[in-house]
PDB file of all heavy atoms in Angstrom:
ATOM      1  N   ALA A   1     134.482  15.530 149.001  1.00 98.00           N
ATOM      2  CA  ALA A   1     135.672  16.302 149.337  1.00 98.00           C
ATOM      3  C   ALA A   1     135.467  17.179 150.549  1.00 98.00           C
ATOM      4  O   ALA A   1     136.269  17.204 151.487  1.00 98.00           O
ATOM      5  CB  ALA A   1     136.176  17.180 148.133  1.00 98.00           C
ATOM      6  N   ARG A   2     134.347  17.875 150.645  1.00 98.00           N
ATOM      7  CA  ARG A   2     134.035  18.665 151.803  1.00 98.00           C
ATOM      8  C   ARG A   2     133.814  17.919 153.015  1.00 98.00           C
ATOM      9  O   ARG A   2     134.313  18.270 154.060  1.00 98.00           O
ATOM     10  CB  ARG A   2     132.779  19.622 151.411  1.00 98.00           C
ATOM     11  CG  ARG A   2     133.132  20.764 150.428  1.00 98.00           C
ATOM     12  CD  ARG A   2     131.991  21.646 150.300  1.00 98.00           C
ATOM     13  NE  ARG A   2     130.901  21.094 149.588  1.00 98.00           N
ATOM     14  CZ  ARG A   2     130.605  21.328 148.280  1.00 98.00           C
ATOM     15  NH1 ARG A   2     131.455  22.164 147.544  1.00 98.00           N
ATOM     16  NH2 ARG A   2     129.569  20.819 147.655  1.00 98.00           N
ATOM     17  N   LEU A   3     133.165  16.807 152.936  1.00 98.00           N
ATOM     18  CA  LEU A   3     132.910  15.942 154.123  1.00 98.00           C
ATOM     19  C   LEU A   3     134.235  15.403 154.594  1.00 98.00           C
ATOM     20  O   LEU A   3     134.479  15.351 155.921  1.00 98.00           O
ATOM     21  CB  LEU A   3     132.013  14.760 153.781  1.00 98.00           C
ATOM     22  CG  LEU A   3     130.537  15.015 153.593  1.00 98.00           C
ATOM     23  CD1 LEU A   3     129.788  13.846 152.933  1.00 98.00           C
ATOM     24  CD2 LEU A   3     129.861  15.352 154.979  1.00 98.00           C
ATOM     25  N   LEU A   4     135.205  15.003 153.810  1.00 98.00           N
ATOM     26  CA  LEU A   4     136.484  14.521 154.244  1.00 98.00           C
ATOM     27  C   LEU A   4     137.280  15.704 154.812  1.00 98.00           C
ATOM     28  O   LEU A   4     138.114  15.332 155.699  1.00 98.00           O
ATOM     29  CB  LEU A   4     137.230  13.767 153.126  1.00 98.00           C
ATOM     30  CG  LEU A   4     136.515  12.407 152.789  1.00 98.00           C
ATOM     31  CD1 LEU A   4     137.114  11.799 151.546  1.00 98.00           C
ATOM     32  CD2 LEU A   4     136.758  11.447 154.032  1.00 98.00           C
ATOM     33  N   ARG A   5     137.240  16.821 154.344  1.00 98.00           N
ATOM     34  CA  ARG A   5     137.951  17.963 154.908  1.00 98.00           C
ATOM     35  C   ARG A   5     137.433  18.154 156.327  1.00 98.00           C
ATOM     36  O   ARG A   5     138.247  18.273 157.291  1.00 98.00           O
ATOM     37  CB  ARG A   5     137.771  19.191 154.061  1.00 98.00           C
ATOM     38  CG  ARG A   5     138.234  20.540 154.615  1.00 98.00           C
ATOM     39  CD  ARG A   5     139.703  20.566 155.189  1.00 98.00           C
ATOM     40  NE  ARG A   5     140.650  20.104 154.140  1.00 98.00           N
ATOM     41  CZ  ARG A   5     141.171  20.835 153.127  1.00 98.00           C
ATOM     42  NH1 ARG A   5     140.779  22.060 153.009  1.00 98.00           N
ATOM     43  NH2 ARG A   5     142.052  20.326 152.403  1.00 98.00           N
ATOM     44  N   ILE A   6     136.106  18.108 156.479  1.00 98.00           N
ATOM     45  CA  ILE A   6     135.476  18.345 157.838  1.00 98.00           C
ATOM     46  C   ILE A   6     135.918  17.199 158.733  1.00 98.00           C
ATOM     47  O   ILE A   6     136.348  17.378 159.910  1.00 98.00           O
ATOM     48  CB  ILE A   6     134.018  18.387 157.736  1.00 98.00           C
ATOM     49  CG1 ILE A   6     133.590  19.706 156.958  1.00 98.00           C
ATOM     50  CG2 ILE A   6     133.318  18.304 159.114  1.00 98.00           C
ATOM     51  CD1 ILE A   6     132.023  19.646 156.599  1.00 98.00           C
ATOM     52  N   ARG A   7     135.877  15.982 158.198  1.00 98.00           N
ATOM     53  CA  ARG A   7     136.236  14.781 159.012  1.00 98.00           C
ATOM     54  C   ARG A   7     137.633  14.816 159.429  1.00 98.00           C
ATOM     55  O   ARG A   7     137.995  14.572 160.666  1.00 98.00           O
ATOM     56  CB  ARG A   7     135.971  13.582 158.167  1.00 98.00           C
ATOM     57  CG  ARG A   7     136.153  12.129 158.810  1.00 98.00           C
ATOM     58  CD  ARG A   7     135.760  11.084 157.938  1.00 98.00           C
ATOM     59  NE  ARG A   7     135.962   9.739 158.473  1.00 98.00           N
ATOM     60  CZ  ARG A   7     137.020   8.936 158.419  1.00 98.00           C
ATOM     61  NH1 ARG A   7     138.084   9.376 157.856  1.00 98.00           N
ATOM     62  NH2 ARG A   7     136.951   7.681 158.964  1.00 98.00           N
ATOM     63  N   GLY A   8     138.574  15.210 158.574  1.00 96.00           N
ATOM     64  CA  GLY A   8     139.939  15.203 158.861  1.00 96.00           C
ATOM     65  C   GLY A   8     140.243  16.270 159.912  1.00 96.00           C
ATOM     66  O   GLY A   8     140.937  15.955 160.950  1.00 96.00           O
ATOM     67  N   GLN A   9     139.612  17.504 159.827  1.00 97.00           N
ATOM     68  CA  GLN A   9     139.868  18.472 160.799  1.00 97.00           C
ATOM     69  C   GLN A   9     139.238  18.098 162.129  1.00 97.00           C
ATOM     70  O   GLN A   9     139.852  18.279 163.175  1.00 97.00           O
ATOM     71  CB  GLN A   9     139.198  19.842 160.335  1.00 97.00           C
ATOM     72  CG  GLN A   9     139.863  20.434 159.129  1.00 97.00           C
ATOM     73  CD  GLN A   9     139.199  21.650 158.605  1.00 97.00           C
ATOM     74  OE1 GLN A   9     137.938  21.740 158.739  1.00 97.00           O
ATOM     75  NE2 GLN A   9     139.933  22.561 157.937  1.00 97.00           N
ATOM     76  N   ALA A  10     138.118  17.484 162.155  1.00 98.00           N
ATOM     77  CA  ALA A  10     137.393  17.079 163.332  1.00 98.00           C
ATOM     78  C   ALA A  10     138.221  15.917 164.108  1.00 98.00           C
ATOM     79  O   ALA A  10     138.293  15.971 165.341  1.00 98.00           O
ATOM     80  CB  ALA A  10     135.963  16.622 163.068  1.00 98.00           C
ATOM     81  N   MET A  11     138.690  14.954 163.313  1.00 96.00           N
ATOM     82  CA  MET A  11     139.529  13.892 163.951  1.00 96.00           C
ATOM     83  C   MET A  11     140.721  14.421 164.563  1.00 96.00           C
ATOM     84  O   MET A  11     141.213  13.938 165.623  1.00 96.00           O
ATOM     85  CB  MET A  11     139.672  12.777 162.912  1.00 96.00           C
ATOM     86  CG  MET A  11     138.399  12.042 162.578  1.00 96.00           C
ATOM     87  SD  MET A  11     138.674  10.856 161.214  1.00 96.00           S
ATOM     88  CE  MET A  11     139.164   9.400 162.148  1.00 96.00           C
ATOM     89  N   GLN A  12     141.347  15.372 163.899  1.00 94.00           N
ATOM     90  CA  GLN A  12     142.611  15.929 164.370  1.00 94.00           C
ATOM     91  C   GLN A  12     142.429  16.715 165.631  1.00 94.00           C
ATOM     92  O   GLN A  12     143.308  16.709 166.553  1.00 94.00           O
ATOM     93  CB  GLN A  12     143.229  16.827 163.260  1.00 94.00           C
ATOM     94  CG  GLN A  12     144.693  17.288 163.671  1.00 94.00           C
ATOM     95  CD  GLN A  12     145.594  16.140 163.859  1.00 94.00           C
ATOM     96  OE1 GLN A  12     145.961  15.387 163.027  1.00 94.00           O
ATOM     97  NE2 GLN A  12     146.082  15.989 165.070  1.00 94.00           N
ATOM     98  N   SER A  13     141.318  17.433 165.695  1.00 96.00           N
ATOM     99  CA  SER A  13     141.160  18.335 166.828  1.00 96.00           C
ATOM    100  C   SER A  13     140.373  17.662 167.977  1.00 96.00           C
ATOM    101  O   SER A  13     140.141  18.328 169.040  1.00 96.00           O
ATOM    102  CB  SER A  13     140.467  19.595 166.341  1.00 96.00           C
ATOM    103  OG  SER A  13     139.110  19.296 165.871  1.00 96.00           O
ATOM    104  N   ALA A  14     139.981  16.357 167.886  1.00 97.00           N
ATOM    105  CA  ALA A  14     139.206  15.777 168.888  1.00 97.00           C
ATOM    106  C   ALA A  14     139.965  15.596 170.184  1.00 97.00           C
ATOM    107  O   ALA A  14     139.393  15.542 171.287  1.00 97.00           O
ATOM    108  CB  ALA A  14     138.634  14.424 168.375  1.00 97.00           C
ATOM    109  N   THR A  15     141.264  15.420 170.141  1.00 96.00           N
ATOM    110  CA  THR A  15     142.101  15.231 171.324  1.00 96.00           C
ATOM    111  C   THR A  15     143.292  16.129 171.288  1.00 96.00           C
ATOM    112  O   THR A  15     143.780  16.484 170.209  1.00 96.00           O
ATOM    113  CB  THR A  15     142.646  13.788 171.403  1.00 96.00           C
ATOM    114  OG1 THR A  15     143.351  13.473 170.226  1.00 96.00           O
ATOM    115  CG2 THR A  15     141.473  12.830 171.524  1.00 96.00           C
ATOM    116  N   PRO A  16     143.851  16.589 172.488  1.00 94.00           N
ATOM    117  CA  PRO A  16     145.046  17.413 172.428  1.00 94.00           C
ATOM    118  C   PRO A  16     146.184  16.595 171.868  1.00 94.00           C
ATOM    119  O   PRO A  16     146.349  15.444 172.071  1.00 94.00           O
ATOM    120  CB  PRO A  16     145.319  17.696 173.961  1.00 94.00           C
ATOM    121  CG  PRO A  16     143.919  17.524 174.570  1.00 94.00           C
ATOM    122  CD  PRO A  16     143.277  16.520 173.763  1.00 94.00           C
ATOM    123  N   LEU A  17     147.078  17.242 171.061  1.00 89.00           N
ATOM    124  CA  LEU A  17     148.166  16.607 170.308  1.00 89.00           C
ATOM    125  C   LEU A  17     149.051  15.901 171.466  1.00 89.00           C
ATOM    126  O   LEU A  17     149.380  16.547 172.469  1.00 89.00           O
ATOM    127  CB  LEU A  17     148.884  17.632 169.598  1.00 89.00           C
ATOM    128  CG  LEU A  17     149.888  17.191 168.517  1.00 89.00           C
ATOM    129  CD1 LEU A  17     149.222  16.438 167.432  1.00 89.00           C
ATOM    130  CD2 LEU A  17     150.736  18.272 167.931  1.00 89.00           C
ATOM    131  N   GLY A  18     149.368  14.636 171.065  1.00 90.00           N
ATOM    132  CA  GLY A  18     150.268  13.936 171.926  1.00 90.00           C
ATOM    133  C   GLY A  18     149.680  13.136 173.040  1.00 90.00           C
ATOM    134  O   GLY A  18     150.332  12.331 173.779  1.00 90.00           O
ATOM    135  N   THR A  19     148.328  13.389 173.321  1.00 95.00           N
ATOM    136  CA  THR A  19     147.677  12.662 174.401  1.00 95.00           C
ATOM    137  C   THR A  19     147.176  11.240 173.995  1.00 95.00           C
ATOM    138  O   THR A  19     146.986  10.426 174.940  1.00 95.00           O
ATOM    139  CB  THR A  19     146.537  13.353 175.012  1.00 95.00           C
ATOM    140  OG1 THR A  19     145.595  13.684 173.931  1.00 95.00           O
ATOM    141  CG2 THR A  19     146.945  14.805 175.543  1.00 95.00           C
ATOM    142  N   GLY A  20     147.029  11.022 172.695  1.00 96.00           N
ATOM    143  CA  GLY A  20     146.595   9.713 172.231  1.00 96.00           C
ATOM    144  C   GLY A  20     147.633   9.070 171.491  1.00 96.00           C
ATOM    145  O   GLY A  20     148.743   9.569 171.172  1.00 96.00           O
ATOM    146  N   ALA A  21     147.460   7.769 171.194  1.00 97.00           N
ATOM    147  CA  ALA A  21     148.414   6.925 170.413  1.00 97.00           C
ATOM    148  C   ALA A  21     147.705   5.772 169.768  1.00 97.00           C
ATOM    149  O   ALA A  21     146.563   5.404 170.096  1.00 97.00           O
ATOM    150  CB  ALA A  21     149.611   6.439 171.394  1.00 97.00           C
ATOM    151  N   MET A  22     148.412   5.148 168.902  1.00 97.00           N
ATOM    152  CA  MET A  22     147.951   3.878 168.248  1.00 97.00           C
ATOM    153  C   MET A  22     149.163   2.964 168.096  1.00 97.00           C
ATOM    154  O   MET A  22     150.334   3.364 168.026  1.00 97.00           O
ATOM    155  CB  MET A  22     147.400   4.184 166.854  1.00 97.00           C
ATOM    156  CG  MET A  22     146.211   5.098 166.822  1.00 97.00           C
ATOM    157  SD  MET A  22     145.480   5.377 165.190  1.00 97.00           S
ATOM    158  CE  MET A  22     144.597   3.911 164.883  1.00 97.00           C
ATOM    159  N   ALA A  23     148.832   1.633 168.157  1.00 97.00           N
ATOM    160  CA  ALA A  23     149.924   0.607 168.005  1.00 97.00           C
ATOM    161  C   ALA A  23     149.458  -0.506 167.233  1.00 97.00           C
ATOM    162  O   ALA A  23     148.246  -0.884 167.316  1.00 97.00           O
ATOM    163  CB  ALA A  23     150.410   0.158 169.379  1.00 97.00           C
ATOM    164  N   ALA A  24     150.236  -1.104 166.413  1.00 97.00           N
ATOM    165  CA  ALA A  24     149.995  -2.276 165.658  1.00 97.00           C
ATOM    166  C   ALA A  24     150.449  -3.454 166.378  1.00 97.00           C
ATOM    167  O   ALA A  24     151.591  -3.528 166.732  1.00 97.00           O
ATOM    168  CB  ALA A  24     150.673  -2.187 164.281  1.00 97.00           C
ATOM    169  N   LEU A  25     149.496  -4.422 166.614  1.00 98.00           N
ATOM    170  CA  LEU A  25     149.901  -5.723 167.313  1.00 98.00           C
ATOM    171  C   LEU A  25     149.973  -6.735 166.103  1.00 98.00           C
ATOM    172  O   LEU A  25     148.924  -7.053 165.510  1.00 98.00           O
ATOM    173  CB  LEU A  25     148.795  -6.125 168.299  1.00 98.00           C
ATOM    174  CG  LEU A  25     148.365  -4.951 169.371  1.00 98.00           C
ATOM    175  CD1 LEU A  25     147.399  -5.457 170.247  1.00 98.00           C
ATOM    176  CD2 LEU A  25     149.571  -4.373 170.024  1.00 98.00           C
ATOM    177  N   LEU A  26     151.085  -7.445 166.005  1.00 97.00           N
ATOM    178  CA  LEU A  26     151.319  -8.288 164.977  1.00 97.00           C
ATOM    179  C   LEU A  26     151.377  -9.762 165.460  1.00 97.00           C
ATOM    180  O   LEU A  26     151.888 -10.061 166.588  1.00 97.00           O
ATOM    181  CB  LEU A  26     152.635  -8.020 164.287  1.00 97.00           C
ATOM    182  CG  LEU A  26     152.811  -6.548 163.713  1.00 97.00           C
ATOM    183  CD1 LEU A  26     154.094  -6.328 163.081  1.00 97.00           C
ATOM    184  CD2 LEU A  26     151.608  -6.173 162.791  1.00 97.00           C
ATOM    185  N   ASP A  27     150.800 -10.614 164.625  1.00 96.00           N
ATOM    186  CA  ASP A  27     150.678 -12.097 164.999  1.00 96.00           C
ATOM    187  C   ASP A  27     149.837 -12.362 166.198  1.00 96.00           C
ATOM    188  O   ASP A  27     150.190 -13.225 166.958  1.00 96.00           O
ATOM    189  CB  ASP A  27     152.090 -12.713 165.061  1.00 96.00           C
ATOM    190  CG  ASP A  27     152.778 -12.933 163.765  1.00 96.00           C
ATOM    191  OD1 ASP A  27     152.121 -12.568 162.734  1.00 96.00           O
ATOM    192  OD2 ASP A  27     153.897 -13.383 163.748  1.00 96.00           O
ATOM    193  N   LEU A  28     148.766 -11.507 166.344  1.00 96.00           N
ATOM    194  CA  LEU A  28     147.816 -11.756 167.434  1.00 96.00           C
ATOM    195  C   LEU A  28     146.434 -11.704 166.870  1.00 96.00           C
ATOM    196  O   LEU A  28     146.162 -10.835 166.026  1.00 96.00           O
ATOM    197  CB  LEU A  28     148.005 -10.653 168.524  1.00 96.00           C
ATOM    198  CG  LEU A  28     147.637 -10.945 169.946  1.00 96.00           C
ATOM    199  CD1 LEU A  28     148.534 -12.075 170.528  1.00 96.00           C
ATOM    200  CD2 LEU A  28     147.707  -9.671 170.784  1.00 96.00           C
ATOM    201  N   ASP A  29     145.608 -12.676 167.199  1.00 96.00           N
ATOM    202  CA  ASP A  29     144.249 -12.690 166.625  1.00 96.00           C
ATOM    203  C   ASP A  29     143.429 -11.589 167.230  1.00 96.00           C
ATOM    204  O   ASP A  29     143.777 -11.032 168.303  1.00 96.00           O
ATOM    205  CB  ASP A  29     143.582 -14.034 166.795  1.00 96.00           C
ATOM    206  CG  ASP A  29     143.351 -14.369 168.266  1.00 96.00           C
ATOM    207  OD1 ASP A  29     142.374 -13.840 168.777  1.00 96.00           O
ATOM    208  OD2 ASP A  29     144.200 -15.079 168.869  1.00 96.00           O
ATOM    209  N   PHE A  30     142.284 -11.190 166.628  1.00 97.00           N
ATOM    210  CA  PHE A  30     141.550 -10.085 167.022  1.00 97.00           C
ATOM    211  C   PHE A  30     140.985 -10.242 168.501  1.00 97.00           C
ATOM    212  O   PHE A  30     141.007  -9.230 169.223  1.00 97.00           O
ATOM    213  CB  PHE A  30     140.331  -9.857 166.102  1.00 97.00           C
ATOM    214  CG  PHE A  30     139.492  -8.616 166.464  1.00 97.00           C
ATOM    215  CD1 PHE A  30     139.939  -7.346 166.222  1.00 97.00           C
ATOM    216  CD2 PHE A  30     138.249  -8.862 167.072  1.00 97.00           C
ATOM    217  CE1 PHE A  30     139.155  -6.323 166.688  1.00 97.00           C
ATOM    218  CE2 PHE A  30     137.488  -7.815 167.518  1.00 97.00           C
ATOM    219  CZ  PHE A  30     137.906  -6.581 167.293  1.00 97.00           C
ATOM    220  N   ALA A  31     140.414 -11.359 168.818  1.00 97.00           N
ATOM    221  CA  ALA A  31     139.946 -11.592 170.089  1.00 97.00           C
ATOM    222  C   ALA A  31     141.002 -11.363 171.211  1.00 97.00           C
ATOM    223  O   ALA A  31     140.645 -10.674 172.268  1.00 97.00           O
ATOM    224  CB  ALA A  31     139.334 -12.940 170.317  1.00 97.00           C
ATOM    225  N   THR A  32     142.181 -11.868 170.990  1.00 97.00           N
ATOM    226  CA  THR A  32     143.246 -11.680 171.953  1.00 97.00           C
ATOM    227  C   THR A  32     143.685 -10.192 172.037  1.00 97.00           C
ATOM    228  O   THR A  32     143.958  -9.657 173.169  1.00 97.00           O
ATOM    229  CB  THR A  32     144.454 -12.605 171.668  1.00 97.00           C
ATOM    230  OG1 THR A  32     143.989 -13.946 171.494  1.00 97.00           O
ATOM    231  CG2 THR A  32     145.462 -12.534 172.721  1.00 97.00           C
ATOM    232  N   ALA A  33     143.701  -9.555 170.868  1.00 98.00           N
ATOM    233  CA  ALA A  33     144.106  -8.128 170.812  1.00 98.00           C
ATOM    234  C   ALA A  33     143.087  -7.252 171.584  1.00 98.00           C
ATOM    235  O   ALA A  33     143.399  -6.378 172.321  1.00 98.00           O
ATOM    236  CB  ALA A  33     144.282  -7.719 169.372  1.00 98.00           C
ATOM    237  N   ALA A  34     141.807  -7.553 171.317  1.00 97.00           N
ATOM    238  CA  ALA A  34     140.759  -6.799 171.981  1.00 97.00           C
ATOM    239  C   ALA A  34     140.860  -7.049 173.511  1.00 97.00           C
ATOM    240  O   ALA A  34     140.574  -6.163 174.217  1.00 97.00           O
ATOM    241  CB  ALA A  34     139.370  -7.172 171.471  1.00 97.00           C
TER     242      ALA A  34
END
């Protein structure tokens, strides 16, 4: 529990809010996505 609290806080604060993003690519194999 303590490790995951630390992990969650550290991952959230690693970058300024709004500067990063994630996207799901559908129907594309891993090599092509990479």
Side-chain angles (χ1 to χ4, degrees):
R2 287 187 287 260
L3 284 168
L4 286 171
R5 169 56 50 82
I6 293 166
R7 184 178 184 269
Q9 291 173 336
M11 292 174 83
Q12 186 60 65
S13 62
T15 58
L17 196 63
T19 60
M22 300 180 77
L25 310 182
L26 304 181
D27 284 359
L28 209 62
D29 65 81
F30 179 77
T32 307

